[in-house]
Amino acid sequence: TFQKIDADYATTMYTILADLYLEQGKNDKAIFAFRQLMKEEPKDKNVCLWQYYIARSMMGAKIPNKQKAAENYQIGADSGSVTAMLNLGVSYWRGEGVRKDLIEAYKWLDLGRFYTQRSSNMEIKWRIRGVLGDVKKEMTQEQIAKAEQLSKEWDSKNRPK
């Protein structure tokens, strides 16, 4: 019976453990726990929150690992998280944790803009649109066209259900 109870509540128990590590400032352990949660429950409603906590833990770590943060944003963006799309787009725009790439930045921000159209979260809508506008100012028309094409291709293959 204990195994069944443990299996039924494994995600809840792991979440409590991850939150405890986060509160205690044990960033490496918190990052590991939140990554495990994302790996075990990639479609959970809290994936976006877990990504935020991973990024927050990484920023609180003694040596911020922007490459790992960008990898986590990629995982979240690939699963349809608009917050991760925003963060990944900003990472590509600034070259933080990834090589600077305006086309990739625009692609992820454009996808985030598209996926927030029906959202009631006005804050993220305007943040994405604002950053997208700033990125666009640094691009040529050819780069924008290429980024929009990549965005459409990604959406047709990966649109979250």
Side-chain angles (χ1 to χ4, degrees):
T1 42
F2 285 118
Q3 288 178 338
K4 180 169 179 18
I5 291 171
D6 287 348
D8 289 345
Y9 295 101
T11 301
T12 303
M13 292 180 343
Y14 229 125
T15 303
I16 291 168
L17 181 64
D19 289 339
L20 181 64
Y21 285 145
L22 192 64
E23 288 174 17
Q24 293 174 345
K26 296 179 179 177
N27 294 325
D28 291 341
K29 290 183 178 186
I31 290 166
F32 176 80
F34 285 118
R35 281 188 178 151
Q36 284 301 114
L37 282 165
M38 289 174 56
K39 185 177 174 182
E40 296 296 323
E41 299 290 336
K43 299 204 184 275
D44 190 282
K45 65 180 180 183
N46 292 311
V47 167
C48 187
L49 181 63
W50 298 336
Q51 290 172 317
Y52 167 76
Y53 287 146
I54 288 171
R56 186 174 125 193
S57 295
M58 287 179 169
M59 296 307 288
K62 290 181 178 123
I63 301 171
N65 189 334
K66 293 180 181 179
Q67 183 179 357
K68 283 290 184 193
E71 289 172 10
N72 288 322
Y73 298 149
Q74 184 72 58
I75 291 167
D78 286 338
S79 66
S81 165
V82 293
T83 302
M85 289 175 183
L86 169 62
N87 291 333
L88 186 59
V90 169
S91 294
Y92 275 113
W93 180 37
R94 294 180 178 163
E96 294 179 350
V98 292
R99 66 177 165 39
K100 183 174 174 116
D101 187 334
L102 295 176
I103 293 172
E104 279 295 304
Y106 189 98
K107 175 183 97 174
W108 287 110
L109 293 165
D110 189 47
L111 284 162
R113 178 202 52 79
F114 177 75
Y115 287 119
T116 61
Q117 286 179 354
R118 295 186 183 164
S119 173
S120 61
N121 184 339
M122 296 306 289
E123 181 181 344
I124 195 154
K125 277 185 177 185
W126 291 112
R127 276 193 73 206
I128 288 174
R129 283 161 176 73
V131 175
L132 184 61
D134 289 341
V135 171
K136 192 174 184 176
K137 290 175 189 175
E138 298 179 25
M139 299 175 72
T140 65
Q141 288 300 324
E142 293 80 20
Q143 289 174 313
I144 293 168
K146 174 70 174 170
E148 289 175 349
Q149 180 61 37
L150 291 173
S151 176
K152 288 175 187 172
E153 289 172 7
W154 187 93
D155 180 54
S156 69
K157 293 177 187 171
N158 301 288
R159 181 175 290 193
K161 308 273 186 257

